[in-house]
Amino acid sequence: MARILKKRIREAFLAYVLLAPSFVVFAIFVFYPFLKNIEIPFYSHTGCRGFGVNRVCAEEFVGFSVWREILASNEFAHSLWVTLKFTFLTVPAGIGLGLVLAVIAHARLRGITIYRTIFSSTVATSAAVASVIFFSLMNPRAGIWRLHIDGIPILEHPTWALPAVAVVATWQSLGLAFIVMSSGLQALPDEVLEAAAIDGAGPFRRFARVTLPLMGPILFFAFVVGSISAFKTFAEIDLLTPGGGTSDSTKVLAYGVYEAGFASGDQVRAAVFATGLFICVLLLTLAQLRLERRVKYAR
Amino acid sequence: MGQVALTHVTKKFGNLPAVADVSLVVEDAEFLVLLGPSGCGKSTLLRMIAGLEDVTEGVIEIDQKMVNEVEPKDRDLAMVFQSYALYPHLTVRRNIEFPLRTRKVGRSERKRLVADAAEALGLSELLDRKPAQLSGGQRQRVALGRAIVRQPKAFLLDEPLSNLDAKLRVQTRAELVALQRRLKTTMIYVTHDQVEAMTMGQRVAILRDGVLQQVAPPAEVYDRPANAFVAGFIGTPPMNLFDAVVDGGTVNVGNSRLPLGELWNTPAGEYTAGIRPEHLTIIGADPGDGALRGTVEFVESLGHERHVHVRSDCGAILVVRHSSHLAIPVPSELVGLHVATNCIHIFDKATGDRFGGTDS
């Protein structure tokens, strides 16, 4: 008995020793900044002196008052609303187009490999590159698509700038969506689709009644991952509509964090925005864990 | 009506022929079994009939109408897959109902037909379950239910019992035969299990490397195999096949001369001879002319019978089916083997084709 206990203690010790380096890295670069970020808004910083690293402030515990103030502000509500609109514009479009391309590429046609390569190519394109390409294309003076609405260049338009950025973000994420949907389609059991064909279902019925329901877990996964990605979008917004667009029309939460923390130097506001963003992503993840079982089925 | 006719049907994957020049007519309401070892093309043939594979050459007709270019959904067939291929997201009821919904059968009629099929297969209590909540046997029944819920021209079954345990397989085998007799619908059944083929089929079609070897009722396939392959494939244990010289109405095997009986007119020459294990009887060590001699190698006991492996004086190992209530031969024992009259099969050594005929 004592020997088994001793063995277990030895194994546990070894396990902790092996985990220690990762834990230290996580603690320094993730846990500490994360907890510090939550701590900041609980204190009011007054009577600051000096600049940069030499800046010294008097701290006063203020409880949730700053949280309440910022989270209830129009600025936060606006950013959250823009983020939701952006998510709504990008995620269903990305999934839908990814699925359509995957269905096309799934067909056993001559030369289809070339199309598969083209469809998945945006995976290798970074958000920055995609943004620069589209920024050039939409340039109001030199671009090929000099789109103006009501005489205003599209990326400067208070209503249409966000959909324009959404198009770029969707295009950029299409490669990944295509790969995810393709792997989902390839994992479907051929015999089930063949059975449906013999049971009298034509191509559209097979797609609607068999393929789509069987793709449920994949579609749900793509929806959650896409939504999380949309919530964190920053690069496209910053590069295509610097400053968060006309009338803050493209100022999503992630951009709000940047704008507050780096452009305005307001660490407290940035910390609250970042935590708000974290809570949104956390809720999405929890929803995934909770709903995952409903869309899954055993084969 | 549900006649399925194949005329010179060939299927090639690239340059590789999977099915070669198969011509076969499955009559209306017939139970035909496609039998052969793995990779012989039997499933490919079934899938071509279903429309799931294109035909490279030849013609497939269902009720005298060519269906080569007809979509699977328009062939009016039902198929049961080896994996059952149930719709995992639908309940048993919706699974069985699926072919009716696609054919726009009215709601009340659908309800009645599903209830009838479920009743016939003992699925009434399981209608609201999902496939994942069913056992292998129950899933197999649902797959059958989905096939029989309407009256197709023919049922195509691709090794539907291979995922069941031995006991359930025997039970389901009998139920399938009874079902086919009741429905009086053409059934084409693919299997690699000769017991299934022999017990279920009205006729058995044997394939090897995509080539049809013989199409005949089970008894004929067993008693008059068309060639050495069929002779060796059908039967447990299989037919003993060995090299022999025919001369003057006898088969010369080693030092033994066996009378050919009805095959007395076989031209002299070298052949492959075949004798079924049940047509050999162990007799004394000095049997005289007209019998084989050999040494017992080992004995397998199956309970109700024994399989005695004897190395004959020609060098070939011959298996003898030996009743369990007779004395057990011991290894290294010298024995004589009596061959039942008219039970020697003669096959061409080069082509393997049967020569003449013997009725056991």
Side-chain angles (χ1 to χ4, degrees):
Chain A
M1 194 67 189
R3 220 165 60 189
I4 295 171
L5 192 69
K6 212 171 161 185
K7 193 183 167 197
R8 280 195 181 167
I9 290 170
R10 207 167 50 226
E11 281 177 357
F13 177 73
L14 182 66
Y16 285 118
V17 167
L18 293 172
L19 282 171
S22 311
F23 181 78
V24 169
V25 171
F26 267 79
I28 294 170
F29 294 105
V30 180
F31 302 141
Y32 173 73
F34 177 72
L35 293 173
K36 191 73 190 164
N37 189 62
I38 291 175
E39 187 205 1
I40 290 170
F42 284 106
Y43 292 90
S44 137
H45 300 79
T46 49
C48 297
R49 279 178 289 127
F51 295 97
V53 288
N54 299 319
R55 191 174 163 89
V56 181
C57 300
E59 285 187 350
E60 185 195 347
F61 185 74
V62 290
F64 283 97
S65 61
V66 175
W67 286 94
R68 269 198 299 271
E69 187 192 322
I70 297 174
L71 289 177
S73 68
N74 284 339
E75 191 192 358
F76 184 81
H78 173 78
S79 279
L80 184 60
W81 174 237
V82 172
T83 309
L84 288 172
K85 277 199 290 186
F86 184 75
T87 306
F88 181 76
L89 287 171
T90 53
V91 176
I95 292 174
L97 287 171
L99 188 60
V100 168
L101 293 183
V103 169
I104 294 169
H106 198 56
R108 288 173 195 161
L109 300 173
R110 196 178 285 270
I112 200 71
T113 320
I114 297 164
Y115 286 92
R116 282 185 190 143
T117 312
I118 294 169
F119 293 162
S120 55
S121 61
T122 67
V123 163
T125 315
S126 72
V129 172
S131 301
V132 169
I133 293 170
F134 277 85
F135 190 73
S136 308
L137 289 171
M138 294 180 191
N139 189 299
R141 274 171 290 279
I144 299 168
W145 302 335
R146 275 165 287 183
L147 287 173
H148 288 73
I149 295 169
D150 305 330
I152 308 166
I154 191 162
L155 291 174
E156 291 165 28
H157 197 282
T159 310
W160 290 98
L162 189 70
V165 177
V167 167
V168 179
T170 305
W171 180 86
Q172 200 268 323
S173 64
L174 198 53
L176 183 64
F178 166 74
I179 289 171
V180 170
M181 296 300 152
S182 277
S183 60
L185 278 181
Q186 277 163 20
L188 293 187
D190 285 341
E191 286 197 339
V192 174
L193 294 167
E194 289 171 354
I198 291 171
D199 282 344
F204 290 108
R205 204 182 184 100
R206 280 206 297 278
F207 183 74
R209 304 279 174 185
V210 184
T211 306
L212 269 186
L214 292 185
M215 287 281 284
I218 294 287
L219 293 172
F220 185 68
F221 168 79
F223 172 76
V224 173
V225 172
S227 300
I228 291 172
S229 170
F231 263 78
K232 296 194 301 187
T233 301
F234 170 77
E236 291 94 334
I237 303 283
D238 186 44
L239 289 162
L240 290 166
T241 56
T246 310
S247 316
D248 289 343
S249 62
T250 61
K251 196 170 138 187
V252 291
L253 278 175
Y255 194 82
V257 175
Y258 162 77
E259 196 265 338
F262 295 93
S264 309
D266 186 346
Q267 276 193 3
V268 177
R269 200 154 53 94
V272 175
F273 265 67
T275 312
L277 179 60
F278 167 73
I279 290 167
C280 291
V281 173
L282 181 71
L283 288 175
L284 276 169
T285 312
L286 290 176
Q288 183 203 7
L289 291 173
R290 199 166 172 75
L291 293 173
E292 202 176 23
R293 266 170 290 157
R294 289 201 193 171
V295 292
K296 270 198 175 157
Y297 50 82
R299 279 180 188 161
Chain B
M1 280 292 284
Q3 189 202 58
V4 179
L6 313 177
T7 313
H8 301 296
V9 170
T10 295
K11 173 72 188 176
K12 285 182 185 167
F13 292 108
N15 287 327
L16 251 124
V19 172
D21 196 25
V22 168
S23 292
L24 172 70
V25 177
V26 188
E27 295 299 343
D28 181 38
E30 184 183 359
F31 196 133
L32 180 106
V33 177
L34 286 173
L35 175 70
S38 297
C40 71
K42 53 192 188 301
S43 287
T44 306
L45 196 58
L46 196 77
R47 289 171 61 80
M48 281 195 283
I49 297 170
L52 300 173
E53 297 284 355
D54 294 331
V55 178
T56 310
E57 280 168 40
V59 174
I60 297 180
E61 289 169 302
I62 298 174
D63 282 344
Q64 277 98 42
K65 279 186 197 139
M66 189 170 110
V67 294
N68 286 35
E69 303 298 327
V70 176
E71 287 290 310
K73 71 183 177 75
D74 300 322
R75 294 195 183 196
D76 197 11
L77 302 168
M79 187 160 171
V80 177
F81 291 81
Q82 187 174 3
S83 64
Y84 314 138
L86 300 179
Y87 309 119
H89 57 295
L90 300 180
T91 60
V92 170
R93 185 192 311 280
R94 293 292 297 271
N95 260 282
I96 297 176
E97 214 177 34
F98 193 91
L100 301 176
R101 278 177 175 262
T102 56
R103 286 173 174 83
K104 299 193 169 45
V105 175
R107 196 175 167 175
S108 57
E109 179 71 354
R110 261 190 347 239
K111 210 171 165 184
R112 185 183 67 76
L113 290 169
V114 171
D116 286 352
E119 173 92 37
L121 296 163
L123 291 168
S124 304
E125 304 296 312
L126 307 172
L127 285 173
D128 294 318
R129 289 201 198 168
K130 292 268 181 80
Q133 297 166 303
L134 303 176
S135 69
Q138 288 167 335
R139 288 182 202 189
Q140 200 267 350
R141 277 164 201 276
V142 177
L144 268 179
R146 194 172 63 185
I148 67 164
V149 73
R150 57 190 194 87
Q151 278 79 47
K153 284 181 178 159
F155 293 113
L156 311 176
L157 299 98
D158 191 0
E159 308 215 28
L161 307 184
S162 59
N163 288 339
L164 301 183
D165 63 57
K167 196 176 167 190
L168 196 57
R169 202 154 55 214
V170 173
Q171 185 194 329
T172 315
R173 212 158 67 193
E175 286 172 2
L176 262 177
V177 173
L179 186 73
Q180 196 268 341
R181 299 232 167 103
R182 188 159 55 79
L183 297 172
K184 294 185 179 67
T185 308
T186 312
M187 213 175 250
I188 305 176
Y189 186 104
V190 161
T191 184
H192 66 270
D193 183 337
Q194 52 162 305
V195 179
E196 275 177 24
M198 300 300 275
T199 53
M200 298 172 85
Q202 289 168 322
R203 280 195 304 159
V204 181
I206 298 154
L207 281 159
R208 180 199 191 188
D209 297 336
V211 180
L212 197 57
Q213 304 289 310
Q214 186 172 13
V215 189
E220 191 178 327
V221 167
Y222 190 81
D223 295 333
R224 297 166 62 84
N227 54 42
F229 170 78
V230 176
F233 188 71
I234 300 282
T236 312
M239 183 184 282
N240 295 299
L241 295 168
F242 49 91
D243 291 341
V245 176
V246 171
D247 185 19
T250 60
V251 182
N252 303 336
V253 185
N255 298 323
S256 309
R257 293 167 66 83
L258 307 173
L260 265 173
E262 287 175 353
L263 293 176
W264 60 271
N265 58 347
T266 308
E270 289 188 6
Y271 291 90
T272 300
I275 306 173
R276 292 237 175 251
E278 61 270 29
H279 295 146
L280 288 169
T281 314
I282 292 176
I283 51 175
D286 190 15
D289 216 13
L292 293 162
R293 290 170 189 80
T295 313
V296 174
E297 292 260 310
F298 62 94
V299 180
E300 291 174 321
S301 180
L302 274 73
H304 65 291
E305 66 180 23
R306 294 190 176 91
H307 295 163
V308 183
H309 294 247
V310 177
R311 184 172 293 280
S312 75
D313 55 6
C314 68
I317 297 274
L318 303 177
V319 181
V320 182
R321 186 171 271 165
H322 191 67
S323 178
S324 62
H325 61 262
L326 296 173
I328 312 171
V330 282
S332 305
E333 184 182 341
L334 290 171
V335 291
L337 298 174
H338 173 261
V339 183
T341 317
N342 291 331
C343 288
I344 299 177
H345 305 257
I346 297 292
F347 303 102
D348 187 287
K349 200 164 178 183
T351 63
D353 288 346
R354 177 184 188 78
F355 180 81
T358 53
D359 277 312
S360 302

